[in-house]
Amino acid sequence: MRNQTQHFINGEWVDSTGSETIEVINPATEDVIGKISAGTKEDVDKAVSAARKAFPEFSKSTKEDRIKWLNAIADGYKKRSKELIDVMTEELGAPLSISENVHFKMGLAHFKQAARALDSFSFSEEKDGHTLVKESIGVSGLITPWNFPTNQTSTKIAGAIAAGSPVVLKPAEKTPYAAMMLAEIIHEAGVPKGAFNLVNGTGDEVGDAISSHPDIDFVSFTGSGGVGEKIMQNAAKTIKKVALELGGKSPLVILEDANMKKAAKTAASNMFFNSGQVCTAATRILVPKTKKDEFEEAMKEAVSSYSMGNPREEGHTAGPLVSSGQWDTVQSYIQKGIDEGATVLVGGTGKPDGLDKGYFAKPTVFTDVTNDMIIAQEEIFGPVISLIYYDDLDHAIEIANDTIYGLAGYVFGQDPEKLRYVASNIRAGQITVNNAKTDFNAPFGGYKQSGIGREWGEFGIEEYLEVKAVLGMPS
Ligand code: NAD
């Protein structure tokens, strides 16, 4: 049992001021794996006051010190690889290979990338006869979701350390243990006490206390749009800057000249990746009308080559959904799709054969979907995708942009001019052409209701900085 009911404040684990706890569940077995503390407003006050105290020195730390800390965190993180991989499989249900090759590696990449970006980052420049200085924004509140337990926390923490901003982190209560390991790694890396604080708890109590705290200068939030809206409203009371990384309903536009088998594999890999619990997942697959039959055959074949099952057994590409609540949500969307008249090409409601225990959902592909259907408009956050057919490229772009979201977009095909045309006309923060590799220095964030702000690499550092103009500075 992982009963870890303390918070990390001012360089040490401390008891909560409250006595309530939250159970953490292994979604593959439905067993309780431990408890964490349901922190209180007073716990947040303590953490903020430690961060405030750390601010004057931490914000003036040198670039060399920050690079040293980030690299030491990366080293400590690597040393604890086995434990981190294991805990993410336990709390999230990700197959061990995904915990290692995706979750663990993404977390590591952010610390390394921030150190690299910082090396060439300029905190001061002369412009038009004035001096422009970039200074730490102050104390930052970080609130993260469960779907990428180390990626979401690491990208924020790395940016904040690089900018000299002390933080108070509230990780997701469903996946708190990887974040708690990070607290120890950060401390052992020599980051000054008070610069990193972690308070566990619910969004309504701890998250709310962070977003409304008068001594927090900036809130960086990743999560759902509804909570993002509440955070913005809370932050408005003290005119706090907010960065919001929210949901998506991203399109994958398949060009007519694409190899349909390869295109279907790309679509299927998006559906299975993290069991579809990915904000950037391509959940609307836009296929030329002329290729409908060919693509559907290819899609059925592609899906059959993936497997879902016990995350601790070798060979599975996907595990369960994170919770029973998430399972219910996904089921209700699959039912809505059926009720709306879409055709189930693969999957459907209920649990996959042989997977009665655990929150496993059937990977589901809908066809004959129109873009006005609920399943094409709302974020499902599970292994469910919709095939939508288009007449010509302008029609595809019209469909691609016809949602409230703008987080990511994908285009797959051969003609360079058409690839460019689609990439430049989708209104989203990141477009991937033909499965291009992830770049941890490329900015990440959304247009429209997918959010405000950018994370990762040098753009991620900028989030934690203010710009000061000094006029008339004697040289
Ligand atoms: P969520 O919004 O329910 O919770 C996210 C975090 O906010 C959790 O730590 C939660 O405890 C906290 N929270 C809840 N209520 C709060 C409140 N009133 N005040 C302050 N904090 C509160 O989201 P989730 O279910 O954990 O994650 C799934 C969502 O996250 C999806 O919508 C997904 O698209 C989004 N997401 C976005 C990105 C991105 O980078 N754009 C990445 C991952 C996930």
Side-chain angles (χ1 to χ4, degrees):
M1 273 291 196
R2 299 177 190 267
N3 287 337
Q4 292 172 248
T5 52
Q6 290 186 308
H7 307 300
F8 193 81
I9 298 176
N10 206 27
E12 58 183 345
W13 290 107
V14 297
D15 288 338
S16 181
T17 59
S19 56
E20 306 251 309
T21 55
I22 301 170
E23 286 184 337
V24 183
I25 312 265
N26 176 336
T29 62
E30 304 182 28
D31 293 331
V32 175
I33 55 171
K35 273 191 284 185
I36 54 164
S37 187
T40 64
K41 196 175 165 302
E42 290 70 41
D43 295 326
V44 174
D45 284 342
K46 281 187 179 178
V48 174
S49 115
R52 269 277 144 231
K53 243 174 102 191
F55 176 72
E57 214 171 304
F58 192 57
S59 62
K60 300 283 184 215
S61 55
T62 63
K63 197 156 112 165
E64 290 66 35
D65 272 339
R66 297 177 196 172
I67 291 174
K68 187 184 73 194
W69 291 325
L70 288 165
N71 285 328
I73 294 170
D75 289 343
Y77 183 95
K78 274 192 277 187
K79 276 197 196 116
R80 293 187 72 173
S81 63
K82 274 209 168 82
E83 278 173 89
L84 282 161
I85 291 163
D86 186 70
V87 82
M88 284 191 276
T89 288
E90 196 165 18
E91 62 186 8
L92 177 65
L96 281 170
S97 60
I98 303 290
S99 290
E100 178 174 357
N101 295 314
V102 178
H103 295 289
F104 173 77
K105 287 189 178 166
M106 285 182 91
L108 179 62
H110 288 303
F111 290 114
K112 286 173 138 182
Q113 186 55 52
R116 238 176 271 137
L118 194 51
D119 195 36
S120 54
F121 197 91
S122 175
F123 286 90
S124 169
E125 67 172 295
E126 299 302 312
K127 198 157 189 278
D128 304 329
H130 312 310
T131 307
L132 298 187
V133 189
K134 290 179 179 171
E135 297 181 336
S136 167
I137 194 163
V139 171
S140 298
L142 316 179
I143 304 175
T144 54
W146 44 263
N147 66 332
F148 282 81
T150 54
N151 172 58
Q152 312 296 3
T153 46
S154 299
T155 184
K156 293 186 193 310
I157 297 164
I161 291 178
S165 166
V167 303
V168 177
L169 166 70
K170 190 207 93 61
E173 55 273 47
K174 291 188 179 77
T175 57
Y177 295 125
M180 293 175 89
M181 276 180 203
L182 269 184
E184 289 164 1
I185 292 166
I186 291 165
H187 182 63
E188 280 155 24
V191 172
K193 67 176 188 175
F196 176 86
N197 305 277
L198 181 155
V199 179
N200 271 320
T202 64
D204 283 345
E205 179 78 18
V206 174
D208 186 83
I210 289 175
S211 61
S212 53
H213 206 291
D215 275 341
I216 288 185
D217 304 281
F218 169 50
V219 176
S220 178
F221 169 75
T222 299
S224 60
V227 174
E229 192 183 323
K230 281 189 197 162
I231 284 173
M232 242 178 140
Q233 280 170 358
N234 263 355
K237 291 175 203 153
T238 50
I239 320 291
K240 253 189 247 325
K241 178 182 157 185
V242 291
L244 303 176
E245 297 287 346
L246 309 175
K249 195 73 195 175
S250 301
L252 159 60
V253 177
I254 293 164
L255 301 184
E256 200 152 15
D257 63 10
N259 175 318
M260 291 298 143
K261 283 197 171 179
K262 288 188 181 160
K265 273 191 186 157
T266 299
S269 78
N270 261 277
M271 177 162 85
F272 280 92
F273 182 44
N274 218 29
S275 301
Q277 302 167 123
V278 181
C279 53
T280 50
T283 46
R284 295 180 301 139
I285 315 300
L286 311 191
V287 184
K289 254 184 199 149
T290 51
K291 301 286 180 181
K292 183 176 194 290
D293 294 342
E294 187 184 344
F295 188 80
E296 288 183 2
E297 273 318 300
M299 196 67 219
K300 282 195 267 187
E301 199 186 314
V303 172
S304 69
S305 70
Y306 284 83
S307 100
M308 178 176 270
N310 181 345
R312 293 201 176 272
E313 265 172 22
E314 289 243 336
H316 297 304
T317 33
L321 297 172
V322 75
S323 65
S324 65
Q326 195 63 26
W327 192 87
D328 290 343
T329 303
V330 169
Q331 296 308 308
S332 88
Y333 273 114
I334 297 175
Q335 190 56 52
K336 272 180 201 152
I338 294 168
D339 296 344
E340 283 179 307
T343 308
V344 175
L345 186 72
V346 177
T349 54
K351 294 200 172 182
D353 287 346
L355 293 172
D356 298 331
K357 192 90 176 152
Y359 310 124
F360 292 92
K362 283 185 194 162
T364 299
V365 182
F366 278 110
T367 184
D368 303 322
V369 177
T370 54
N371 202 50
D372 57 351
M373 290 182 182
I374 291 168
I375 53 166
Q377 288 294 319
E378 295 184 11
E379 188 183 46
I380 299 174
F381 231 52
V384 182
I385 59 173
S386 293
L387 309 186
I388 304 174
Y389 295 93
Y390 69 83
D391 299 318
D392 56 31
L393 266 198
D394 286 327
H395 185 211
I397 285 159
E398 187 189 318
I399 299 169
N401 287 329
D402 181 20
T403 76
I404 58 168
Y405 296 111
L407 188 57
Y410 304 80
V411 56
F412 197 89
Q414 295 185 54
D415 184 334
E417 233 168 79
K418 289 186 175 149
L419 291 170
R420 253 193 300 274
Y421 185 71
V422 173
S424 59
N425 282 291
I426 293 180
R427 290 191 47 77
Q430 198 170 81
I431 309 291
T432 303
V433 179
N434 288 339
N435 295 330
K437 258 181 74 181
T438 305
D439 177 350
F440 290 94
N441 203 39
F444 182 95
Y447 283 26
K448 305 196 281 185
Q449 293 189 33
S450 286
I452 301 174
R454 293 294 179 271
E455 297 196 299
W456 298 22
E458 61 187 270
F459 281 83
I461 301 172
E462 296 276 2
E463 289 283 28
Y464 298 85
L465 294 169
E466 286 280 18
V467 178
K468 179 188 276 177
V470 183
L471 315 185
M473 175 85 96
S475 49

